[in-house]
Amino acid sequence: MYEIFILSILMNFPAHAYLISKIIEPWFKISRGTLSTLLKKMLKDGYIEYTNEDIPFKSNHSSQTYKITSSGKERFFSLMLDTTESVNFIKLFHIKANNFGLLQASDR
């Protein structure tokens, strides 16, 4: 669930870990350790990468900035089209509904 949320954020703009946590916070309680571990895994899997690009919401916190890769976009679309996930269905529905416009018309 966290993975699709993080990828959906990065589909819209590059972001640092602090911003990602602030966007996720109203929806889910996620510790810094959990977020850090997940971001490291996503880096290792090639779904995200570090970037020096300007981000829309700067922070005073020192934090790496991430952007989605082409593999990450493929993973995002795969997760968006996955209908087998049933845990936290309501929250997952909201994430998917908010990103529905990113899908190709044929996939909608």
Side-chain angles (χ1 to χ4, degrees), residues 23-102:
I23 293 171
I24 291 175
E25 200 172 77
W27 292 83
F28 306 103
K29 295 294 180 198
I30 186 168
S31 70
R32 285 187 221 170
T34 299
L35 180 59
S36 176
T37 300
L38 186 55
L39 289 170
K40 285 178 188 173
K41 181 185 180 311
M42 292 172 74
L43 279 164
K44 182 179 165 237
D45 292 343
Y47 299 148
I48 61 175
E49 64 187 9
Y50 296 119
T51 184
N52 292 326
E53 293 178 30
D54 285 335
I55 57 173
F57 308 99
K58 300 212 185 296
S59 171
N60 294 333
H61 300 272
S62 65
S63 186
Q64 291 287 341
T65 301
Y66 304 94
K67 72 176 184 177
I68 195 165
T69 63
S70 58
S71 295
K73 289 177 183 180
E74 288 176 22
R75 177 69 176 153
F76 170 76
F77 291 124
S78 171
L79 291 170
M80 284 289 290
L81 298 175
D82 181 9
T83 58
T84 61
E85 176 68 43
S86 61
V87 178
N88 292 318
F89 175 78
I90 294 172
K91 289 181 181 180
L92 185 60
F93 174 80
H94 285 285
I95 294 168
K96 289 185 176 188
N98 284 332
N99 292 284
F100 192 70
L102 296 173

